[in-house]
Amino acid sequence: MKATHVWHLQLNVKDIPIMSGSRKRPVWIILLVNFVILFLIVAYVYSPTTSAACFIFSSKDCTLTFHKQPPALKVPARELTDGETISQVVISEILRTPPVESNNPKIAFLFLTPGTLPFEALWAKFFQGHEGRFSVYVHASREKPVHTTRYFKGRDIHSESVVWGQISMVDAERRLLAQALLDPDNQQFVLLSESCIPLQNFDYVYNYLMLTNVSFIDCFVDLGPHGSGRYSEHMMPEVEKKDFRKGSQWFALKRQHAIITMADSLYYTKFKYYCKPNMEGRNCYADEHYLPTFFNMIDPGGIANRSVTYVDWSERRWHPKSFKPVDITLEFLKNLTSIDDFIHFTSDSKRVLTGPCTWNGIKRPCYLFARKFYPETLEKLTLLFSNYTTLSV
């Protein structure tokens, strides 16, 4: 009905009398008035929903117009299982729901550790002066930690035993996320180990994570025996081999993705039962494959395909290189903070993947944190902290 009235309300210049004498108005003013009136009427009827004009002209709710909407889910090439259908509906709705705004957005630092944190004093130095902008959660899988600083005291969550390479590692990650999601102000979720250290100052880390709209999940294709070679056809039909990915478990998730991780049961179950050590002659580790594969499948454009935690795999062993006190120099630490290209060492010795680290389309340093450092490096790291954490976004 509104559209019909629009055309009846159009004004005709010939029908408007022009006053004589000093009150006479030029025709161009009348034409301008007509145009403005017509524009306002049309704008109201055909309410814009893709720009700031929505708030000026529309009586409709414009809340959703300022959030990038994910593309519609692809039409599947095969009939989906019931579990896949349910999962796609839930994930799609979460991706399309605007995040809840917080007046005090915080970063949740999730420490996955066997016991006491050897670098607690260094992290306290990192946190100092930024109270109210972060939360700390500690999952200790073997023994109750002894904390020495106020930032960590009382921050232990209910923990369960964690076995390296088992699904219990993923369970611990989800347990930490669940606890952190209880605080609506937590908007970013960073997973760290007991051997991790900060590479940048707090303000830099805060702005790096808060001012971008992707999650930093390491994700790449490894065609070697410790990549695609770990795939089991028992994951079919939900997880196909072409979708199988690998990556470091040390993530930085935005809240939306943290919630999706909690909501998933279908894909998690596939990795729980069919990605584990000594299965069918394969050693598959769920913490290296579950999240990279999952997010590559459900929101590939929403992840950076790299981690913000530095780790050195150049020795191509089962565990990354560990750093001793002799390695800790200001030059070494500054080199880590300035790396702006990522590198993925695949299990195919002839294939190494590299690329630029971009942040909102701009090439920037890759790493906010680093591992693995021996506890004996604490003294040197604390002494040099203010000298190597000097960058700003």
Side-chain angles (χ1 to χ4, degrees):
M1 293 299 293
K2 282 186 178 180
T4 304
H5 292 307
V6 170
W7 304 112
H8 289 299
L9 288 170
Q10 291 187 72
L11 301 176
N12 191 321
V13 177
K14 295 180 180 180
D15 297 331
I16 301 177
I18 300 177
M19 303 296 291
S20 61
S22 62
R23 301 189 63 175
K24 183 175 180 179
R25 297 288 185 269
V27 173
W28 70 268
I29 293 180
I30 298 170
L31 290 172
L32 179 62
V33 171
N34 281 344
F35 176 80
V36 171
I37 293 173
L38 180 61
F39 174 75
L40 290 172
I41 293 171
V42 172
Y44 177 78
V45 176
Y46 300 99
S47 305
T49 58
T50 57
S51 70
C54 177
F55 283 89
I56 300 173
F57 299 119
S58 178
S59 61
K60 300 176 182 177
D61 181 7
C62 301
T63 305
L64 296 178
T65 66
F66 290 91
H67 300 277
K68 182 181 178 182
Q69 294 297 314
L73 293 173
K74 297 179 181 178
V75 177
R78 57 176 174 77
E79 183 179 355
L80 299 181
T81 64
D82 289 345
E84 283 179 296
T85 302
I86 293 169
S87 182
Q88 286 213 4
V89 169
V90 172
I91 290 169
S92 178
E93 287 305 304
I94 293 174
L95 287 173
R96 292 175 183 278
T97 301
V100 177
E101 298 291 338
S102 170
N103 293 325
N104 182 38
K106 297 188 294 185
I107 300 175
F109 291 87
L110 317 176
F111 290 89
L112 184 56
T113 176
T116 296
L117 294 162
F119 295 107
E120 183 174 322
L122 181 64
W123 283 104
K125 192 176 182 72
F126 170 78
F127 291 137
Q128 189 173 7
H130 302 285
E131 290 78 2
R133 302 171 71 194
F134 66 90
S135 304
V136 172
Y137 302 86
V138 180
H139 184 293
S141 59
R142 295 182 190 168
E143 58 186 36
K144 186 175 176 60
V146 176
H147 296 301
T148 58
T149 68
R150 62 192 177 100
Y151 300 116
F152 288 83
K153 288 181 178 178
R155 303 310 301 168
D156 300 306
I157 70 166
H158 168 75
S159 304
E160 298 287 348
S161 176
V162 173
V163 179
W164 180 79
Q166 301 282 358
I167 194 67
S168 58
M169 186 76 78
V170 175
D171 294 337
E173 295 173 10
R174 286 158 63 100
R175 196 173 294 118
L176 279 162
L177 285 173
Q179 289 292 324
L181 281 166
L182 291 174
D183 184 344
D185 288 333
N186 287 333
Q187 298 296 308
Q188 293 285 338
F189 304 79
V190 178
L191 183 67
L192 301 159
S193 76
E194 78 284 354
S195 69
C196 286
I197 66 165
L199 284 183
Q200 312 288 2
N201 62 56
F202 185 90
D203 284 329
Y204 184 95
V205 171
Y206 187 89
N207 291 330
Y208 198 104
L209 296 179
M210 290 295 183
L211 299 181
T212 192
N213 195 37
V214 297
S215 289
F216 293 93
I217 298 175
D218 202 24
C219 177
F220 62 97
V221 177
D222 181 349
L223 299 177
H226 305 309
S228 298
R230 294 173 173 174
Y231 174 79
S232 170
E233 291 188 355
H234 290 296
M235 291 187 177
M236 290 285 286
E238 290 84 1
V239 181
E240 299 180 41
K241 190 171 185 177
K242 66 180 179 62
D243 297 317
F244 197 69
R245 295 293 185 272
K246 186 178 181 179
S248 166
Q249 74 182 106
W250 310 106
F251 58 67
L253 295 180
K254 61 181 182 178
R255 188 176 181 89
Q256 187 184 51
H257 283 164
I259 294 171
I260 289 173
T261 302
M262 293 291 91
D264 175 52
S265 61
L266 175 71
Y267 300 99
Y268 164 82
T269 301
K270 287 289 181 176
F271 282 86
K272 178 178 180 178
Y273 291 115
Y274 305 117
C275 180
K276 51 188 177 181
N278 302 315
M279 180 179 176
E280 300 176 341
R282 304 180 183 92
N283 283 315
C284 187
Y285 305 111
D287 57 283
E288 294 183 2
H289 297 284
Y290 167 55
L291 287 182
T293 301
F294 178 55
F295 280 102
N296 172 67
M297 292 177 65
I298 62 104
D299 191 19
I303 62 175
N305 295 317
R306 65 179 176 90
S307 175
V308 286
T309 299
Y310 173 82
V311 63
D312 184 350
W313 286 102
S314 61
E315 296 178 342
R316 294 180 177 272
R317 297 179 179 177
W318 282 107
H319 297 284
K321 182 178 179 179
S322 295
F323 301 106
K324 302 175 181 178
V326 68
D327 299 313
I328 309 305
T329 65
L330 183 58
E331 181 182 11
F332 166 71
L333 294 169
K334 279 190 169 293
N335 284 340
L336 295 187
T337 65
S338 61
I339 295 171
D340 56 8
D341 287 290
F342 66 81
I343 182 167
H344 288 136
F345 293 94
T346 73
S347 56
D348 176 353
S349 60
K350 298 180 181 179
R351 192 165 183 257
V352 176
L353 306 175
T354 62
C357 293
T358 58
W359 179 84
N360 292 346
I362 305 168
K363 190 172 184 180
R364 284 292 177 89
C366 302
Y367 303 112
L368 307 179
F369 318 102
R371 61 187 302 266
K372 300 175 70 172
F373 289 78
Y374 280 101
E376 295 78 19
T377 61
L378 174 63
E379 184 177 354
K380 274 192 169 183
L381 289 168
T382 304
L383 182 66
L384 295 172
F385 179 77
S386 299
N387 293 318
Y388 72 82
T389 57
T390 57
L391 294 179
S392 60
V393 175

